[in-house]
Amino acid sequence: QVQLVESGGGLVQPGGSLRLSCAASGIFNSAYKMGWYRQAPGKQRELVALITGSGSINDADSVKGRFTISRDNAKNTVYLQMNSLKPEDTAVYYCNAHLTVVVGRIEYDYWGRGTQVTVSS
């Protein structure tokens, strides 16, 4: 099993910055694709950013240029640096770990319990 614990959420003013952390434990390695998702009240969960074990990154258009995902494989930790925050960024942010085993078509998917980010003046 893989356990994911998010931290770093809080209340910030528009234009401010925040860095989220996701610490992975258990049977985890750099082969996992890591992602940050967010969900606002009454809305569906949406992808924020993805990073592969090799460091390839994909960002959602809504956060491109403002958010940066990164990972430290030695620490089994993934980060989300959030700059120029907007009220629309307010949501619960979730960490995700995904591993696809091609042989047998087996997929592993794990989620953290989320951390609240509130952007308000």
Side-chain angles (χ1 to χ4, degrees):
Q1 291 187 1
V2 173
Q3 293 81 45
L4 303 173
V5 180
E6 303 97 335
S7 62
L11 174 64
V12 297
Q13 293 186 330
S17 298
L18 207 60
R19 188 170 88 151
L20 306 182
S21 298
C22 172
S25 61
I27 306 175
F28 177 85
N29 59 57
S30 62
Y32 277 89
K33 180 184 291 184
M34 303 297 297
W36 284 99
Y37 295 74
R38 67 186 182 186
Q39 186 169 24
K43 297 183 179 180
Q44 293 185 324
R45 187 172 299 185
E46 64 175 348
L47 173 68
V48 177
L50 291 172
I51 185 167
T52 69
S54 61
S56 296
I57 295 171
N58 286 309
D59 298 319
D61 290 339
S62 60
V63 305
K64 194 164 296 181
R66 300 188 298 120
F67 292 8
T68 302
I69 189 171
S70 62
R71 67 192 295 167
D72 186 335
N73 291 331
K75 296 181 179 179
N76 293 330
T77 302
V78 62
Y79 305 95
L80 184 67
Q81 179 66 49
M82 304 184 294
N83 299 322
S84 301
L85 283 162
K86 304 175 181 179
E88 307 92 86
D89 297 319
T90 296
V92 177
Y93 283 71
Y94 297 91
C95 181
N96 171 260
H98 186 81
L99 177 67
T100 299
V101 180
V102 176
V103 178
R105 300 291 191 271
I106 301 173
E107 295 189 357
Y108 298 88
D109 199 54
Y110 300 94
W111 292 90
R113 294 185 176 182
T115 184
Q116 177 70 48
V117 172
T118 302
V119 184
S120 177
S121 60

